Each structure stands twice: as structure tokens, then as C-alpha cells.
Amino acid sequence: MKKDQEKVVLFSFYGRSGMWHYATQYSNALSKFKKVYLVCPTFADKEFLCNRVKILEINSSPSIKNFILDTLNIFQHLKLLIKIWKINPSSIHFLDNHPWSIIYALLLKMLGFKIIFTQHDPIQHSGEPRKHIQRIINRLQLIIGDYIVVPSNLFKEYIVKKWKVKEKKVVVYPHGHYAFFLKYKNKGVKEEENTILFFGRILKYKGLDLLLKSLLILKKEGYKFKLIIAGAGDLKPYKKLLEKIKENVEIHNRYIREEEIPHFFQRASIVALTYHDATQSGIIAIAYPFGKPVIATNVGSLPEFVIEGKTGYIVDKNPDEIAKAIKKILYSRSTREEMKNNCKKITYEILDWEKNLKKILYIYD
């Protein structure tokens, strides 16, 4: 049966946080060019989706117990497969590395559909709880997929050389901006002087230790600052460092809801991404629309998205270098204002979802 070239089915099984933000904005952008159907969990917040995107819901609970039951619910999976068969899209695109993606991809490939995967993390992070499972899923995706979408040229080169994948099979699509968070801005919240934001899940690879050591240097030199830590995760490994600058730290050690996110970015002067290792970062996609300069370590594809001296600084994984970069921005109002304007401008030049999609639409033909 000839496929409908105007239709594309996208999959996003996680339904919350960064993966869901990405899926909704990608779906919205692609719907400007194709008829888009998005498979997603019933619990996912559909508020971020435009009315052009047609939703196909499935039970995919975030709790382990219910997830096992959802996995064993053969009826719901069969029902979804029948729906997709009737839609008859040109392509099936999995936007994350959920374990179900492999099973669905194999079944849909046997039914004659083109399979596309987005790999956000071609190289797994240190300290990531699921990194061994992710590595296996990534490898299977390279075998099954007709196209693999990655966020930067760095990772295209890695996949082509490491796994001997044909170059034309790997497509670069930069992570788009999260300007949709601007609609949650609170007019009463203002930027707070000398405030650094460390935002997101607290995991070993995120390098909170590097940031704390750099701020300890600033404290010893007599500089005033405030650090806001906002995100879920284990802070015990950083207890001693936090104790040394406790009067300068504000901690929100929990999951941050979508409507709360702008509050923290509005208050910040700069955003710190002092990672030990990384592939990309959705934090930049939030920081730029809010006009917040970024200090990032020279890891993964971060240097491709931080324009040196324009939207922030790229530094080595060294507390002294991080401290120097912080001082350049935090204590110079003119530098911050210039970078603020640059960040907002870059949002719609480099990180525009639709503009970048036009370059890869051929993968759906």
C-alpha cells in the first residue's frame, strides 16, 4: 500500500520534563509542513501542543509497577498499531529512547514503514542511572533506523566513525528554543543582582561540584553573589562545599513544574552549565529566550551553541577558569546587557525549530 507522503507519526512515550518539551515543540514545528500525529502518554500535558497536531494517546505510566502493567497490556498496543496502519504515514519518527521505541520500531518496520530515530545522547552521561540500557537502545536504533537525527555535527561524526554508519543516514538537527516558557513569565519577578542559576536534575555529570568550587574562589576574593539551585537529585555529595557558602545559596531540591521554570530564569543574572560531560543541553534552549548568558564547560556539543563572548563563555573544567568567566559577566552590567540582547537574537536565528526543519524535511519523503 502506497504511503501518504503528507502524514507523519511521531512517538514520545515519556510525557514530561525535557523530553516532552522537545517532543511538543518539534511536533508543532513539523505540523507547519506535514500532517502530524503524536503518540504520547495519557498523563502528558497537551497544553504545549498546537491544534494542528493530532494526538494518539497510550497508557505509559512513569511508575515502575504501572509501567509493567502497561507494557503487558497487549490490547492497547495492538489498537495503536491498527490506528497507525489506517493513518498510513510516510514515516514513523521516535523522538526519544524509551524502551518501547525498539519494539514498536521493529513491528512498524515489518509493516513497511520508514523508521526515524532522534538520539539526544549518542554518548551516555557519567552517573546516569539508565546509561547501560540507553547504550543498548541507541545501538539497536542505529541498526533499525532508516535515518538517525542528532543534535550536532560532533555527534554525527562520532556515530559515523565509531559505528561505521553511512554518513547520509545521520542527519543533524540542532535543539530548538523553548521560548514557549515566556508565556508563564511573571511581570512582578525581576532579575536579581549577581545571581547564578544552576537548573535541572542534579546528577554527577552536571558538575555542580565545579561550580561550587569556583564560587568558593569568588567568596574568598570578597565578591558578592547568590547561587540558586533548582532541581531534583541527591545533594549529599556536595554537602561540605555547600556548607562553606551556605549564606550565598538558595536551594529548591525538588521537581520543578513547568509553570515555575520562568520564575527561576527571570531572577537569574547568568546560567551555569559546568558539566563534567555532556551531549547537549535543553537549559540553553530556555536561557536564551529569557536573555540569560551562559557559562558552559568545553564538553559535548555545548561549544556549538554558546557563542564565545557574545552569549556567554566556554571554559575548561577548572574552577579557576569558571570563576574568571563568572566575574566577566556577573560584575559588568554593560556586558550582561549586550549578551542579553545577543541571547534573545540568537534564539530565533540559530535555535528556530521551523527554519532548521526545512533543511531536513527530505527524511520524511
Side-chain angles (χ1 to χ4, degrees), residues 157-175:
E157 292 175 12
Y158 169 79
I159 289 174
V160 170
K161 290 179 180 178
K162 172 74 174 178
W163 302 112
K164 311 302 180 188
V165 176
K166 291 181 180 179
E167 190 172 346
K168 65 180 181 180
K169 182 176 176 175
V170 186
V171 179
V172 176
Y173 180 75
H175 194 306

Side-chain angles (χ1 to χ4, degrees), residues 93 142 147 175 199 220 335 338:
H93 188 166
L142 294 179
Y147 284 106
H175 194 306
F199 186 86
K220 288 177 179 178
T335 300
E338 184 180 347

Side-chain angles (χ1 to χ4, degrees), residues 9-275:
V9 172
L10 305 177
F11 277 75
S12 180
F13 287 122
Y14 285 110
R16 64 179 181 181
S17 300
M19 287 293 192
W20 180 238
H21 301 153
Y22 182 94
T24 58
Q25 301 314 293
Y26 189 94
S27 299
N28 291 345
L30 185 59
S31 70
K32 290 282 188 75
F33 309 102
K34 299 285 184 180
K35 294 179 181 178
V36 172
Y37 298 78
L38 176 62
V39 177
C40 63
T42 51
F43 70 82
D45 190 343
K46 315 304 188 297
E47 179 186 351
F48 309 133
L49 289 165
C50 69
N51 55 18
R52 293 187 304 273
V53 178
K54 293 179 173 56
I55 298 167
L56 302 174
E57 291 189 328
I58 188 167
N59 292 321
S60 174
S61 176
S63 76
I64 298 296
K65 179 181 176 182
N66 290 334
F67 173 71
I68 293 171
L69 295 174
D70 291 337
T71 302
L72 297 174
N73 185 353
I74 304 301
F75 176 75
Q76 74 158 346
H77 300 300
L78 182 60
K79 187 177 177 181
L80 177 57
L81 288 169
I82 291 171
K83 284 183 180 178
I84 294 171
W85 176 260
K86 290 180 178 178
I87 292 168
N88 192 34
S90 68
S91 313
I92 308 289
H93 188 166
F94 296 87
L95 297 172
D96 54 48
N97 62 352
H98 191 281
W100 284 0
S101 67
I102 298 300
I103 300 168
Y104 269 95
L106 284 169
L107 291 171
L108 290 164
K109 195 172 183 72
M110 287 191 291
L111 291 173
F113 293 102
K114 181 195 293 182
I115 302 298
I116 302 166
F117 292 104
T118 290
Q119 285 197 1
H120 298 277
D121 300 313
I123 302 173
Q124 280 63 55
H125 303 304
S126 59
E128 181 70 57
R130 296 174 58 247
K131 71 177 183 179
H132 299 300
I133 296 173
Q134 288 176 347
R135 186 179 294 117
I136 293 169
I137 292 173
N138 280 1
R139 188 73 185 99
L140 290 171
Q141 288 180 347
L142 294 179
I143 296 168
I144 300 167
D146 294 289
Y147 284 106
I148 305 297
V149 180
V150 294
S152 74
N153 290 305
L154 176 72
F155 294 112
K156 176 173 182 172
E157 292 175 12
Y158 169 79
I159 289 174
V160 170
K161 290 179 180 178
K162 172 74 174 178
W163 302 112
K164 311 302 180 188
V165 176
K166 291 181 180 179
E167 190 172 346
K168 65 180 181 180
K169 182 176 176 175
V170 186
V171 179
V172 176
Y173 180 75
H175 194 306
H177 64 73
Y178 286 156
F180 73 95
F181 278 118
L182 293 172
K183 71 178 182 180
Y184 293 115
K185 281 180 67 174
N186 186 329
K187 293 180 180 179
V189 177
K190 304 296 182 183
E191 181 177 309
E192 297 175 11
E193 192 173 8
N194 303 335
T195 300
I196 305 149
L197 176 62
F198 184 92
F199 186 86
R201 292 186 305 157
I202 298 163
L203 293 168
K204 182 180 178 181
Y205 79 88
K206 294 287 187 77
L208 177 57
D209 57 322
L210 291 174
L211 178 60
L212 293 175
K213 288 174 184 176
S214 69
L215 293 179
L216 188 56
I217 292 170
L218 293 188
K219 183 179 180 182
K220 288 177 179 178
E221 292 178 354
Y223 287 96
K224 293 182 179 180
F225 63 86
K226 176 193 283 186
L227 170 64
I228 299 176
I229 300 172
D234 186 9
L235 285 173
K236 290 176 185 175
Y238 314 103
K239 187 176 179 180
K240 289 183 179 179
L241 285 170
L242 285 168
E243 186 66 26
K244 292 177 181 178
I245 57 170
K246 61 182 180 181
E247 65 273 15
N248 300 87
V249 182
E250 178 184 318
I251 298 174
H252 302 267
N253 190 204
R254 56 181 173 77
Y255 174 75
I256 308 299
R257 300 189 308 275
E258 274 83 3
E259 62 270 22
E260 295 180 280
I261 291 173
H263 173 82
F264 295 105
F265 282 85
Q266 284 180 261
R267 292 176 61 197
S269 305
I270 60 174
V271 176
L273 300 173
T274 51
Y275 293 1

